[in-house]
C-alpha cells in the first residue's frame, strides 16, 4: 500500500455523527454558531491562549491579521523567511505589503534573529517568522528586536499546534499567531485555521473582517471578506481534539523510531531537539548532504517513490526562488537547505513497521 507524506487523522465515525446531529435539528450551519463557539472555547483552553478567532483556513486567517492590525496597503515592508509554505508570503503580498526575506539558521531552519536587524528600514512594519515543522523560532530574541524597533510580530504557527515553550502555549508569543487546521496538520477541522492574540481591539476586527466587516445589522464599518469556519468543520475539530494527545504521542513514537534508525548516519541532518519545548512532531525532516551521504535529496526522493513511498520536498523551492517572487533577497542558507531537505511520512497512524520500511529504503 502506498505511504504518503501524511494522512489525515480521522475521528470515530459515530462520534462525528453524534456531534453533527444537532446541526440537522437546528439548521444552524454557519456564521459562528454554537458548535463554533464550543470548539473555540475548547481550543482556547487546550492552546492556553486568551483570544482565538477561527477561520475557514489558515491562509485567510493570516491574511486577515494584517488588515485587522491596520497594515493593509500601508506601503510597509515585512521581514519574513523564504523557508516556508508559500501561503506565508502570499498573505503578506495580498495585503499590499512588501516581503523582505531574511535567511534562516542552518540547524533548525527558523528565521535567524541575528540577520533581522540589518533588514529593518524606516518602512518596516512587522516581522513574520514561521515555526517551521513545529520547531519554534527564537521567540525571545525576536521579541527584543520587535520591541526595540516598535514592530508587530505575527507568527505563522501553522505547524505548531499544541507546542509549548517553557510551559507557555506558543500562541502567546508575538502580537498574533496563526494555526492551520488543514487536513494535513497535527489537528484538523478538514480545512480550517485560527489566530490567537491578546489585544482586545484585535478581537472585534478579526471577528468582523471574516464576516464582511459587519458590526451589526445596520452597521458595516470595515471592508471585510468571508472566511468563517462552519459548524460541520467545527464539529470535526471537537471530535479530533478528543484524540489529540494520543495522536501526538503516536507521532512521537514514529519520530523516535526514525531518530533511532538514522542515528550516526553520515550526511543525514536530523531535526534539532529544542530545550524547554514541548514538541508536536508535526513533520519529520531530514537534510541530506550529498557528498557525505553519497546520494542527493532528489535521488532519495525518487528511490522512495519507486517503493511506493511519497516523501515531499517541503519547502522547495525557497519562496524567493519561486516564479512569482523570483530572486528577491540573498538567503544562501535557505537556498541550500531547500535543495537538500526531504520531509518523510509522519502521521499518527504511521506504524513503527512502516517507519522501518521507509528507513530501510533510505539506508540501503
Ligand atoms: N503556513 C504554513 C507554514 C503552511 O504550511 C500552511 C499550509 C499554511 C500557512 C496555510 O494553511 P492552510 O490555509 O492550508 O490552513 C499541503 C496543505 O494543503 C497545506 O495546508 C500545508 N501548509 C502544506 C505544507 O501542505 P500540499 O499541496 O502539499 O498537499 P497535498 O494535497 O499534496 O497533500 C499531501 C499529502 O497529505 C497527500 O499526499 C495525502 C495527505 N492528505 C492530503 C489531503 C488533502 C490526506 O491524508 N488527506 C487530505 O485530505 O499542501
Amino acid at each position: 500500500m502506498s505511504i504518503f507524506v501524511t494522512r489525515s487523522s480521522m475521528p470515530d465515525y459515530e462520534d462525528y455523527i453524534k456531534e453533527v446531529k444537532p446541526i440537522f435539528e437546528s439548521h444552524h450551519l454557519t456564521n459562528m454558531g454554537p458548535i463554533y463557539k464550543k470548539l473555540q472555547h475548547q481550543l482556547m483552553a487546550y492552546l492556553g491562549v486568551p483570544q482565538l478567532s477561527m477561520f475557514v483556513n489558515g491562509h485567510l486567517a493570516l491574511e486577515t491579521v494584517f488588515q485587522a492590525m491596520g497594515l493593509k496597503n500601508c506601503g510597509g515592508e515585512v521581514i519574513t523567511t523564504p523557508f516556508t509554505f508559500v501561503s506565508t508570503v502570499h498573505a503578506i503580498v495580498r495585503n499590499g505589503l512588501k516581503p523582505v526575506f531574511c535567511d534562516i539558521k542552518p540547524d533548525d531552519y527558523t528565521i535567524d534573529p541575528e540577520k533581522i536587524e540589518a533588514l529593518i528600514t524606516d518602512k518596516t512594519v512587522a516581522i513574520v517568522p514561521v515555526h517551521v515543522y513545529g520547531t519554534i523560532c527564537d521567540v525571545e530574541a525576536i521579541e527584543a528586536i520587535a520591541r526595540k524597533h516598535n514592530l508587530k510580530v505575527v507568527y505563522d504557527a501553522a505547524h505548531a499546534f499544541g507546542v509549548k515553550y517553557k510551559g507557555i502555549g506558543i500562541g502567546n508569543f508575538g502580537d498574533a499567531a496563526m494555526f492551520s487546521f488543514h487536513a494535513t496538520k497535527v489537528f484538523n477541522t478538514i480545512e480550517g485555521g485560527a489566530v490567537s492574540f491578546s489585544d482586545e481591539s484585535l478581537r472585534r476586527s478579526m471577528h468582523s473582517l471574516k464576516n464582511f466587516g459587519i458590526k451589526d445589522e445596520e452597521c458595516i464599518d470595515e471592508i471585510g471578506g468571508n472566511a468563517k469556519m462552519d459548524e460541520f468543520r467545527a464539529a470535526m475539530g471537537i471530535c479530533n481534539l478528543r484524540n489529540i494527545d494520543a495522536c501526538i504521542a503516536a507521532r512521537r513514537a514514529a519520530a523516535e523510531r526514525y531518530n533511532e534508525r538514522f542515528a550516526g548516519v553520515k550526511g543525514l541532518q536530523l531535526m534539532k531537539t529544542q530545550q524547554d519545548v514541548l514538541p508536536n512532531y508535526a513533520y519529520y525532516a531530514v537534510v541530506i548532504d550529498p557528498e557525505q551521504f553519497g546520494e542527493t535529496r532528489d535521488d532519495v526522493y525518487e528511490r522512495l517513490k519507486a517503493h511506493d513511498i511519497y516523501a515531499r520536498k517541503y519547502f522547495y523551492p525557497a519562496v524567493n526562488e519561486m516564479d512569482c517572487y523570483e530572486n528577491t533577497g540573498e538567503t544562501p542558507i535557505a537556498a541550500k537547505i531547500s535543495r537538500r531537505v526531504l520531509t518523510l511520512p509522519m502521521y499518527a497512524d504511521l506504524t513503527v513497521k512502516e517507519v522501518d520500511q521507509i528507513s530501510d529504503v533510505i539506508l540501503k
Side-chain angles (χ1 to χ4, degrees):
M1 208 173 85
S2 307
I3 301 178
F4 295 100
V5 69
T6 193
R7 190 163 188 244
S8 300
S9 293
M10 299 297 288
D12 178 64
Y13 175 74
E14 298 301 335
D15 194 24
Y16 183 68
I17 295 304
K18 207 169 121 202
E19 208 58 53
V20 297
K21 193 158 181 276
I23 307 176
F24 284 80
E25 285 152 11
S26 70
H27 296 224
H28 194 155
L29 306 183
T30 185
N31 289 10
M32 283 75 79
I35 304 183
Y36 172 103
K37 291 193 178 99
K38 183 173 161 189
L39 177 62
Q40 181 191 24
H41 286 101
Q42 289 185 359
L43 285 175
M44 280 161 61
Y46 187 82
L47 299 171
V49 295
Q51 306 272 3
L52 193 78
S53 186
M54 302 194 306
F55 282 73
V56 69
N57 58 55
H59 176 82
L60 284 173
L62 187 60
E63 235 187 77
T64 305
V65 184
F66 300 108
Q67 188 179 356
M69 287 178 168
L71 299 178
K72 193 175 169 99
N73 297 328
C74 74
E77 294 175 358
V78 174
I79 297 172
T80 191
T81 166
F83 191 68
T84 183
F85 189 55
V86 70
S87 162
T88 316
V89 182
H90 283 353
I92 295 167
V93 174
R94 286 166 61 87
N95 273 284
L97 298 162
K98 183 181 169 206
V100 174
F101 293 103
C102 179
D103 214 351
I104 57 170
K105 291 185 272 167
D107 59 345
D108 71 9
Y109 326 129
T110 64
I111 197 165
D112 187 344
E114 289 185 5
K115 295 184 179 154
I116 292 177
E117 278 197 287
L119 299 171
I120 296 175
T121 69
D122 56 1
K123 289 193 175 154
T124 309
V125 291
I127 307 171
V128 178
V130 179
H131 299 306
V132 66
Y133 308 138
T135 300
I136 69 160
C137 302
D138 188 341
V139 289
E140 281 150 1
I142 291 167
E143 190 187 327
I145 295 167
R147 217 182 276 156
K148 184 170 157 199
H149 297 273
N150 194 25
L151 302 174
K152 297 279 186 207
V153 179
V154 178
Y155 281 102
D156 180 331
H159 300 176
F161 186 86
V163 173
K164 287 187 176 162
Y165 177 56
K166 294 184 176 166
I168 301 167
I170 202 66
N172 291 284
F173 295 89
D175 296 280
M178 177 279 285
F179 296 95
S180 165
F181 305 154
H182 183 259
T184 55
K185 296 297 187 284
V186 168
F187 165 78
N188 84 76
T189 58
I190 306 173
E191 289 269 4
V195 175
S196 63
F197 49 91
S198 53
D199 185 348
E200 179 60 26
S201 67
L202 219 46
R203 189 178 69 84
R204 176 143 122 71
S205 255
M206 289 301 291
H207 190 82
S208 107
L209 286 173
K210 70 179 170 210
N211 189 26
F212 311 102
I214 296 173
K215 188 176 175 202
D216 61 43
E217 267 182 65
E218 296 185 6
C219 175
I220 289 91
D221 60 357
E222 292 183 281
I223 302 168
N226 181 2
K228 295 158 284 166
M229 179 187 286
D230 67 65
E231 295 288 272
F232 285 88
R233 289 188 174 91
M236 186 75 165
I238 286 169
C239 297
N240 277 333
L241 196 59
R242 288 190 188 119
N243 306 324
I244 191 70
D245 291 336
C247 282
I248 293 175
R251 286 171 172 273
R252 179 187 172 146
E256 284 175 350
R257 184 62 179 174
Y258 275 128
N259 286 343
E260 260 173 58
R261 295 296 312 272
F262 296 147
V265 175
K266 276 216 169 94
L268 279 192
Q269 177 172 299
L270 308 184
M271 285 173 65
K272 200 177 155 189
T273 305
Q274 295 190 294
Q275 284 241 312
D276 298 322
V277 173
L278 180 72
N280 68 356
Y281 308 94
Y283 290 82
Y284 191 89
V286 289
V287 170
I288 301 168
D289 176 342
E291 266 109 67
Q292 290 195 49
F293 189 70
E295 273 185 315
T296 65
R297 180 271 310 269
D298 289 350
D299 293 336
V300 177
Y301 170 88
E302 291 299 337
R303 209 145 47 80
L304 286 167
K305 211 164 157 184
H307 285 81
D308 219 7
I309 298 165
Y310 301 88
R312 290 295 283 269
K313 301 173 195 178
Y314 295 139
F315 291 98
Y316 173 79
V319 177
N320 54 354
E321 293 184 335
M322 289 178 174
D323 292 349
C324 55
Y325 295 113
E326 200 181 304
N327 295 325
T328 35
E330 284 285 299
T331 55
I333 297 170
K336 184 172 161 184
I337 300 294
S338 72
R339 288 187 178 93
R340 294 181 168 194
V341 73
L342 196 60
T343 45
L344 303 182
M346 170 53 72
Y347 45 89
D349 294 340
L350 188 71
T351 62
V352 166
K353 204 171 145 213
E354 286 166 325
V355 173
D356 280 340
Q357 193 186 326
I358 298 159
S359 309
D360 286 344
V361 175
I362 294 173
L363 295 174
K364 269 172 194 164

